[in-house]
Amino acid sequence: MAYRPSHAAANYAIEIDGKTAGWVKSVGLPKIELEKVESKVGSFVHTAKSGGNYKHSGFDTSYSISETNKVIDWIMSLPRKSVLTTDGAIRQANHNFDAVRRVDWTIGNITEVKLPKLTAAEGKNPFMVDFKWEAETVEWSKDSGKITAEQGTKHKAWNAANWAADGLVGEVEWITEIELPAITAKLGKESYGTQRLPALHYASIDIADIKFKISARSRDSHLDYVKKVIKDGKLSANEYLDLSITMKDPSLTQDLGVLSFLGCGLISYEEDKLEANQDKVATFTLGFSVETFDLKFTHTDA
């Protein structure tokens, strides 16, 4: 019986500049296509169809923040507005970590970074970063050899339930959930050469809002600030806040890293719908615009 090598989706690693940079939880690979060109010709309105410009979509993946530095530096170059482009590959391995195929890209441009929702009640969720990128060229090929990655040897694993917030005007100990902002970029594209390959460049970068869901038991400590900022319809310089979230180890005694959100302006206050005879705790949500976001590791295993 002929042996057929397995291509079962088992393990996927990301490679940056020729070096393995960790395993990914999931990955979406590009779609390649030709733009359809149609021409109406002839007395019976015959439609002639042909292929036009070649194009491909982008990649998307979910990545643990406790992996190696290369991918995190690439991701964080977007909110830091000092954007990096990379050459790399997604490598597929079977259950024995034998490489079977790869998808290489050149000049990868990050287009979106989505941070997880931090929920105090969910103690099993790791801190995963979802991100997308587009590349100028994409190539599929076979792969070989073993794939190894230094998973988790650089940074301790972050848990989406272990954190402490700071910087709000009111009480912070009753925060139940934090919706972290997404960072998105728009790319400009132009085609060149006989193959009509797209050249990419950044056109704009935007940081979305950060939202804090807080127990109503601390509502009064926030209301004076809320009413002052929102009702007068303007933000003075001293009403902008610098907010931070410190990620903790499971014992909550050791700091693993800090998420910093600078120049945050209050833009919304919303109370949850109230219903009689319900056992859920009443909460309210504060929404803030964000000018600058950064991430710093404060503890490593190295």
Side-chain angles (χ1 to χ4, degrees):
M1 181 180 293
Y3 171 71
R4 294 180 181 271
S6 173
H7 281 246
N11 300 291
Y12 287 92
I14 187 169
E15 182 180 283
I16 298 293
D17 296 331
K19 293 184 178 181
T20 303
W23 301 100
V24 296
K25 180 182 178 182
S26 63
V27 60
L29 297 174
K31 172 185 177 183
I32 57 174
E33 59 183 320
L34 292 177
E35 294 178 334
K36 188 165 63 176
V37 178
E38 297 183 349
S39 302
K40 304 292 184 181
V41 296
S43 57
F44 292 100
V45 198
H46 171 70
T47 301
K49 299 180 181 181
S50 63
N53 281 352
Y54 159 85
K55 62 180 182 179
H56 56 258
S57 59
F59 297 76
D60 66 84
T61 191
S62 185
Y63 187 83
S64 171
I65 205 167
S66 62
E67 291 279 7
T68 53
N69 277 330
K70 272 188 172 292
V71 173
I72 300 301
D73 290 342
W74 183 34
I75 292 170
M76 288 305 302
S77 74
L78 188 65
R80 289 170 182 161
K81 299 181 175 65
S82 56
V83 287
L84 304 173
T85 60
T86 68
D87 298 343
I90 295 293
R91 303 182 67 191
Q92 180 189 343
N94 61 21
H95 293 285
N96 295 320
F97 299 100
D98 297 315
V100 294
R101 72 183 187 110
R102 58 188 292 134
V103 183
D104 289 84
W105 76 82
T106 62
I107 313 179
N109 294 254
I110 295 284
T111 57
E112 180 178 276
V113 178
K114 187 176 181 181
L115 303 171
K117 185 177 290 186
L118 305 181
T119 306
E122 296 291 339
K124 298 181 180 179
N125 294 339
F127 193 112
M128 302 297 294
V129 181
D130 297 336
F131 66 102
K132 300 179 181 180
W133 69 98
E134 293 189 26
E136 292 198 3
T137 68
V138 180
E139 186 65 42
W140 281 256
S141 61
K142 292 182 179 180
D143 204 349
S144 61
K146 289 282 187 181
I147 300 179
T148 59
E150 297 179 358
Q151 185 173 16
T153 61
K154 195 68 177 174
H155 301 122
K156 283 194 170 183
W158 292 16
N159 188 295
N162 301 333
W163 45 266
D166 192 29
L168 294 177
V169 171
E171 298 170 341
V172 297
E173 60 265 34
W174 301 111
I175 298 172
T176 63
E177 185 177 282
I178 304 174
E179 185 176 329
L180 299 175
I183 302 96
T184 56
K186 291 183 179 180
L187 297 177
K189 301 181 182 182
E190 55 184 352
S191 296
Y192 64 95
T194 58
Q195 292 181 303
R196 306 173 304 282
L197 297 174
L200 306 176
H201 60 85
Y202 284 95
S204 65
I205 299 172
D206 180 66
I207 302 175
D209 303 334
I210 185 171
K211 297 181 179 180
F212 296 85
K213 181 172 283 191
I214 307 172
S215 169
R217 70 179 68 195
S218 69
R219 182 191 294 116
D220 291 344
S221 71
H222 295 268
L223 270 181
D224 286 344
Y225 171 74
V226 168
K227 290 188 289 187
K228 181 178 185 300
V229 172
I230 292 182
K231 282 195 170 183
D232 67 13
K234 61 182 180 180
L235 277 165
S236 59
N238 63 349
E239 290 173 336
Y240 283 90
L241 305 178
D242 290 341
L243 307 175
S244 66
I245 300 166
T246 302
M247 303 304 300
K248 301 277 190 176
D249 72 343
S251 69
L252 303 181
T253 60
Q254 189 173 62
D255 296 349
L256 304 181
V258 178
L259 308 173
S260 300
F261 304 90
L262 307 181
C264 299
L266 180 68
I267 56 172
S268 65
Y269 168 83
E270 180 180 9
E271 295 191 12
D272 284 357
K273 183 178 180 180
L274 304 176
E275 296 183 18
N277 301 317
Q278 294 292 311
D279 59 359
K280 68 176 184 179
V281 177
T283 60
F284 65 95
T285 300
L286 299 179
F288 293 85
S289 60
V290 179
E291 288 188 358
T292 303
F293 162 61
D294 205 357
L295 179 155
K296 181 176 69 172
F297 291 98
T298 57
H299 183 276
T300 69
D301 288 336

